[in-house]
Amino acid sequence: MPITDDARDLFLPAACASCRSASAAGFGLCPDCAADLAALRPLLAAPAVRGAPPVVAAGPYAGTLAEALNEYKERSRRELAPALGALLGRALAVVAAEVPGAVLVPVPPTRAARRARGFDHVAAACAAVPGRPPVHACLRALPRPDSVGLTPRGRLAAATASLRARPRAAAALAATGAPAILVDDVVTTGATLHAAARALAGAGVAVPAAVCVAAA
C-alpha cells in the first residue's frame, strides 16, 4: 500500500469499504452501500461439485457485496464483521428450521492465510451472526495451493488434501448428536464445502447444509 494511503487512513475518516467514495457511517459502509446489502435476499447456490451439501448464500458475489467482502478479507476491514454476520444470519434463517439443534462450523483458513490477514475472517463473521447457534471450530486447514486457475476437479483435490477434522473437537461434537451447518465466505464450485463435509462425516458429524456470505 502506498505511504500516502497509509497517511490518509490515519488522519481521515475511513472510506466506505464498497464504493470508497464516501465516508463510512458505521460498520465500514456508507448509508447507500449499507442499504444495498440490506436489500439482498438469500439465494440457493448450485455447487458444481457433486456431493456438496445444499448451500444458501446471502447474495450474489457482485457489486456492493463483492467489494465489501474483498475489503474485509484482503484489507482486514474487521469493522465489516457485523454487517456480514447479519447477512449470514439471513441465510441461516432459511435453513435453520430444517436443521433443528444444529451448530455452526466455520471453514478455517490455512495458517498462512490467517497470518496474512491477521484474523480468521469466517470465524469473525460467524461470531457476529445475531442470535446464532453455538460455533464449533472443529476443522483445520493444512497448506493448499491458490484455487485461482484450478479446475473444479483440481479445487476438490486441493480442498480434500487440506481440510481435516480436529479429532477431539469433532469427537465432542459427534457425541452430542448435533448436526453441523458449514459456514464459508464465498461458494464457487462447492469443492471446499464438499471436502469440509466429508472430513466431518468421517468424524461422525452430519452436515445437512451450508451457508455462505456470497455465491460466485
Side-chain angles (χ1 to χ4, degrees):
M1 181 187 299
I3 294 176
T4 53
D5 287 349
D6 286 338
R8 180 194 61 204
D9 291 343
L10 281 173
F11 297 108
L12 296 178
C16 171
S18 182
C19 69
R20 301 181 186 84
S21 62
S23 296
F27 301 123
L29 297 167
C30 69
D32 287 344
C33 289
D36 285 345
L37 292 192
L40 292 174
R41 294 295 177 264
L43 57 91
L44 182 63
V49 172
R50 188 175 299 175
V55 187
V56 174
Y61 185 69
T64 299
L65 180 56
E67 293 293 336
L69 190 51
N70 283 334
E71 285 286 291
Y72 177 62
K73 292 172 57 176
E74 307 307 333
R75 295 196 66 189
S76 299
R77 294 286 298 267
R78 303 189 196 193
E79 71 272 25
L80 290 163
L84 299 179
L87 289 177
L88 276 175
R90 293 183 209 161
L92 180 61
V94 175
V95 301
E98 304 297 324
V99 192
V103 302
L104 301 182
V105 176
V107 173
T110 63
R111 184 175 298 177
R114 179 169 184 165
R115 184 166 56 246
R117 294 180 181 129
F119 74 125
D120 182 336
H121 65 293
V122 176
C126 267
V129 173
R132 60 170 174 76
V135 177
H136 286 255
C138 51
L139 288 170
R140 64 188 180 99
L142 302 176
R144 61 186 288 184
D146 193 324
S147 60
V148 175
L150 293 179
T151 64
R153 181 175 294 182
R155 286 173 180 255
L156 180 58
T160 301
S162 170
L163 289 168
R164 297 283 187 274
R166 294 183 179 275
R168 291 185 180 178
L173 177 55
T176 69
I181 297 175
L182 287 169
V183 185
D184 206 356
D185 54 355
V186 180
V187 56
T188 50
T189 64
T192 297
L193 294 174
H194 179 281
R198 183 175 177 180
L200 290 176
V205 178
V207 182
V211 294
C212 293
V213 177

